[in-house]
Amino acid sequence: MKEALARPAVVSRISDLIGRTPLYELCRTETGSRLLLKLEMFNPTGTAKIRMARQMVLDAEARGALRPGGRIIESTSGNTGLGLAVVAAERGYTFTAVVDHHACADKLRALRALGTELVYAADDGTDELATAAREELAAELARGQHNTVFTEQHNNPSNGVGYFPVAHELHQALDGKIDVLIGAVGTGGALCGTTRELRTLVPDCRTVGVEPKGSIAFGGPAHDYYQSGTGTPEGAEIGALVDFGLIDDGVKVGDIEAFATARAVARATGLLIGGSAGGVVHEALSRLPAAQPGTTMVALVNDGGEKYLDTVFDDDWMHARALLDRDLEREIEETLTKLRRT
């Protein structure tokens, strides 16, 4: 297994660099419980979603839906699009990303740099999330078109399958010692796909799903939120990959707490994580002190913070949206510093 998961010394495709991402011990308690971060930003494009982007394309090819010279269409807030852009470029496909202005500007610039055609579902200049409108437009653009695939990440089984290797990477790295897996719930692919495979290896591992306050997968009330690439906003359908039978506990974390955590982690450790990853880490930190002695908790950090320098890590942007809470940031930073000295 170790040989199978080893990264090759020389590769011929960028997608060959997917996976084998590191685990980082963020902190531990006096009772020996520890919080490990699965750093998916070490994938190409700095995100976990390139895993499932490749899988969706490979499976479309295998069933004959996508052939040489074809076109891929997807609705995306950025990270899935970046993964599809890489895979499309190296396999000779055209890629059209249906986006909205909620996506971070750096992600959209990166998509353009990779040759992606951007189509805006709503071009009124607002930064509101428009998931439902994006999905409808992407389906419309693909309908009846020759050699064109709408990968439809929210309902594509290949999304979940793309994360099966994460379970094997965790199992190998930790010799099967994984008590709690915690991650964001958007399409459901990353957390539920990893959990589905991990349960075959570590049946007793518990899974905690985290969504933003305002998202509806774990109930209401619904309202706008700024955490990008996660959750199910009002008006959008909960993805078919969100398998509630695989999630032992579903919780919500607000934007203020999520972003304060991401900012505190950066200052305490030098690690930049994304805004929704901040929500996952916030929930993990709140659970760690009450965990059974010797617990190993793994948080899926699905992207890094470099894409959020103009938002989460920008004081002016945060202040303008009433998201800045310096007292909370200091409190989290102090907690991290104390636990890291334990």
Side-chain angles (χ1 to χ4, degrees):
M1 177 65 76
K2 289 185 179 179
E3 290 74 20
L5 292 180
R7 176 167 283 162
V10 178
V11 301
S12 58
R13 284 178 168 168
I14 292 299
S15 62
D16 292 336
L17 296 171
I18 294 171
R20 286 79 60 177
T21 55
L23 280 165
Y24 169 66
E25 183 176 291
L26 180 64
C27 55
R28 65 168 59 221
T29 68
E30 293 179 349
T31 64
S33 294
R34 56 182 180 162
L35 172 57
L36 308 180
L37 308 185
K38 179 67 165 163
L39 299 181
E40 287 290 280
M41 71 277 278
F42 283 86
N43 283 302
T45 71
T47 170
K49 291 194 173 183
I50 195 170
R51 292 182 184 262
M52 62 89 156
R54 177 177 61 177
Q55 192 66 45
M56 291 193 299
V57 172
L58 292 176
D59 289 350
E61 290 176 340
R63 66 176 186 270
L66 190 60
R67 300 175 299 283
R71 182 188 186 196
I72 301 166
I73 298 175
E74 182 56 85
S75 160
T76 177
S77 60
N79 281 336
T80 298
L82 288 169
L84 285 170
V86 168
V87 177
E90 66 184 16
R91 302 180 83 83
Y93 299 123
T94 299
F95 174 49
T96 298
V98 180
V99 299
D100 55 39
H101 290 282
H102 182 82
C104 290
D106 280 352
K107 294 181 184 179
L108 300 181
R109 287 194 287 264
L111 284 168
R112 289 193 186 95
L114 291 168
T116 300
E117 175 193 22
L118 298 186
V119 176
Y120 284 86
D123 207 8
D124 55 7
T126 68
D127 59 1
E128 292 183 2
L129 189 59
T131 303
R134 289 197 329 246
E135 294 285 317
E136 292 173 7
L137 181 55
E140 179 183 335
L141 290 174
R143 192 173 296 116
Q145 297 300 308
H146 174 70
N147 196 14
T148 298
V149 169
F150 171 28
T151 42
E152 199 176 359
Q153 59 172 315
H154 284 82
N155 297 304
N156 190 331
S158 301
N159 180 340
V161 173
Y163 294 103
F164 284 5
V166 178
H168 290 277
E169 292 171 27
L170 292 174
H171 183 257
Q172 175 193 306
L174 299 173
D175 292 325
K177 173 59 176 171
I178 313 169
D179 300 296
V180 180
L181 179 70
I182 182 168
V185 176
T187 68
L191 185 63
C192 294
T194 302
T195 296
R196 185 176 299 281
E197 188 69 3
L198 190 59
R199 292 270 167 94
T200 69
L201 304 167
V202 189
D204 295 332
C205 180
R206 292 183 60 80
T207 292
V208 179
V210 181
E211 69 172 349
K213 288 182 179 178
S215 175
I216 62 172
F218 301 133
H223 57 75
D224 292 341
Y225 55 86
Y226 287 100
Q227 291 174 65
S228 177
T230 188
T232 306
E234 187 175 23
E237 293 185 5
I238 298 172
L241 301 169
V242 179
D243 188 336
F244 294 101
L246 293 173
I247 300 173
D248 297 293
D249 195 7
V251 300
K252 297 174 181 287
V253 174
D255 290 336
I256 292 174
E257 292 78 12
F259 296 166
T261 303
R263 290 161 64 96
V265 167
R267 288 196 296 269
T269 70
L271 177 69
L272 287 171
I273 64 175
S276 61
V280 172
V281 174
H282 182 85
E283 181 63 25
L285 287 172
S286 72
R287 290 170 175 260
L288 193 65
Q292 291 293 319
T295 292
T296 295
M297 183 181 299
V298 175
L300 300 177
V301 174
N302 285 340
D303 73 343
E306 291 82 359
K307 303 184 185 84
Y308 306 95
L309 297 178
D310 292 334
T311 54
V312 174
F313 296 98
D314 183 87
D315 288 357
D316 292 338
W317 185 92
M318 292 280 288
H319 182 73
R321 290 156 181 79
L323 296 172
L324 194 60
D325 188 333
R326 295 192 186 280
D327 289 338
L328 180 58
E329 289 178 27
R330 283 191 289 268
E331 179 183 328
I332 297 168
E333 189 174 352
E334 289 170 2
T335 298
L336 279 172
T337 300
K338 178 180 177 181
L339 288 172
R340 288 175 62 78
R341 290 172 178 166
T342 299

